[in-house]
Amino acid sequence: MFWQWSLSVIAELIASAILLLLAIYFPWRDLNRQARLTGVTLVFLCALWILSHAIEIGLPVASYKESLVGLQLVLGMMALTFWLFYIFHYLGPIKLFTRRIYILFAIMPLIAILALATNNMYGLMWTETGLDSQNPYLPLQPAYGIIYWACMFYIAVLTLTGSILITWNIIRSRFSYRRESIFLLIAAVIPMITAFIEVTGLLSSLKFSVGHSSWAGCFGAVILILNLPKFHLEQVIPVARDIVFEQIGDCILVLDMHNRVLDLNPAAEQLTGYTISDAFGLSIERIWPHQSATAIPFNKMDKVGEELFLERHGQQRTYSLRTSAITDSGGHPASKVVLLTDITGRKQAEEKLVKSYESLKKTLNDAIDTIVKIVETRDPYTAGHQQRVSGLATAIAGEMKLENNRIDQLRIAAIIHDIGKINVPSDILSKPGGLTDIEFSLIKTHAQAGFDIVKGMAFPCNVARTVLQHHERLDGSGYPNQLKGEDTLLEAKILAVADVIEAMASHRPYRAALGIDKALEEISKNTGRLYDPGVVEACLELFTKKNFKFKD
């Protein structure tokens, strides 16, 4: 016995090694676990199939060749079975694949194995085996029996079923995916043709050393694994597109660059009153049923979120318009998609978030006004003080570029900053002469009392803290907590300056009005010690350069 080297043997050994590597790498890219395991098994069987043929033509001994040919037959049936399984995982009714079906597909390979094992007794696989001495590769030349032809018929059924399944799915995909379609047709046709040749013996007169069935099966398996998963995923795209385009509630219009209709979805057909067959090729202006209430022409509306007002079923509806350009292979605009989303309900709801807010805001302002009036009944000589302080404080905050929400909170705090005077006896509040230490101590309690009242209301927390701190000073000489510098809110520092300016500029029971100049002199003299420099600077800017006036 000797080994017969040839180019065919070397080629098939290399091919089997490559297939073993592919069995490790390529099928594991598959996300479907069952398909992945099937693919691994398929490529591994193909590697053994072509390896067995390489060994057969490499060993010129009849006894060895008989066993190897039988092994090739079993491996071929198993490989083609898994070839069909892999196709079914993607293109066939995989739900039919139960344990019983797998057992059914195992029957024929088991019959072949049994026939090979008992062939010397019954000759069901082949008889009169010998070597074809006319062929330099000395292939086995037996007289085939009934089981062999049954196996060939089984192989033909497998390849024909898989080929039909691939071809049918390619036809259904409308050849949208040319590359994948071509490769899958090759994967279907090659095993089918070689199975036909094997059964009919059409090329038996040619001295081939390469086993056409094994090579064809291996090529088909590799092509399937490389292209079938991608083809399957791409087949999902038009299905998903149809579902989205057909069933979405928004109106979708596809127009060319001259605003001629190329496609409409059912929602757009209902809005325009045109079917796609009637509207195709017409200008959008011709099929548009109603004039829009906006001054911008429909064909000029290219901004995302542009609003369009249209009549529909006797009611005016509001639509949000979006357009997207579709470019050709050169990157040039070829058409555009127009999306109209009915936002009428949302707009109505927004108008109601706005009305409710305005109503709540009015209620809050009314409540604040009521509180102010209650305070003023206790201290009639300072009527209007809190509103005037609020006006100056918000003006200072605006000059300092505070955020709108902080200015609004400061406005509320300023309007009610003296609410704690409710707890102070009215005769002290309106006393015309100077106050005793005890009386002044009672006055100073109004900041803490105001905080205690306001903190229980539904105001932002800064409102209550601003009320509490509006008599604090930078050097800690203020009250009620002798806070210094950064321990005090900026809003409270603004309110402190506004409070001092208004109080000095206005008449009080215990003294005449001192005037704005004296008040500005007070804050200028004590800037950085009692009052925040930034607040003082903004206040001076208002009075000296912007002619700020208190409103009565």
Side-chain angles (χ1 to χ4, degrees), residues 120-171:
N120 291 334
M121 297 175 58
Y122 303 106
L124 295 176
M125 189 62 72
W126 49 62
T127 58
E128 303 176 3
T129 57
L131 300 180
D132 184 3
S133 59
Q134 301 300 316
N135 192 312
Y137 295 97
L138 301 175
L140 193 69
Q141 192 176 35
Y144 296 115
I146 188 171
I147 297 299
Y148 176 85
W149 292 112
C151 291
M152 290 297 102
F153 178 77
Y154 176 75
I155 289 173
V157 170
L158 292 177
T159 55
L160 184 62
T161 302
S163 302
I164 291 174
L165 196 56
I166 290 174
T167 305
W168 171 246
N169 277 273
I170 289 175
I171 293 172

Side-chain angles (χ1 to χ4, degrees), residues 350-459:
E350 288 175 355
E351 289 174 2
K352 289 180 180 178
L353 286 169
V354 173
K355 290 180 180 178
S356 176
Y357 172 75
E358 292 297 331
S359 176
L360 181 61
K361 189 174 180 180
K362 183 179 182 303
T363 302
L364 178 61
N365 289 332
D366 290 345
I368 292 172
D369 289 340
T370 301
I371 293 171
V372 171
K373 290 176 181 177
I374 293 172
V375 174
E376 289 179 348
T377 60
R378 303 279 295 166
D379 189 7
Y381 293 100
T382 59
H385 164 72
Q386 294 181 113
Q387 288 90 337
R388 290 192 294 272
V389 170
S390 177
L392 177 55
T394 54
I396 294 172
E399 186 71 19
M400 296 178 70
K401 303 293 190 293
L402 265 66
E403 298 89 345
N404 289 337
N405 65 320
R406 294 184 70 183
I407 294 176
D408 195 48
Q409 292 177 30
L410 175 58
R411 179 187 64 83
I412 296 172
I415 290 176
I416 60 174
H417 73 276
D418 280 340
I419 188 174
K421 288 184 177 180
I422 291 176
N423 287 357
V424 180
S426 58
D427 55 347
I428 294 177
L429 295 174
S430 58
K431 184 178 179 180
L435 299 175
T436 65
D437 290 342
I438 295 176
E439 290 171 336
F440 188 60
S441 296
L442 289 173
I443 289 286
K444 290 197 295 185
T445 63
H446 81 278
Q448 182 66 52
F451 172 77
D452 293 337
I453 294 171
V454 174
K455 71 177 182 181
M457 299 180 180
F459 291 124

Side-chain angles (χ1 to χ4, degrees), residues 64 95 214 230 238 271 308 320 433 456 467:
Y64 289 107
K95 292 181 180 179
S214 58
K230 187 184 297 184
L271 177 64
L308 190 67
S320 173
V467 170

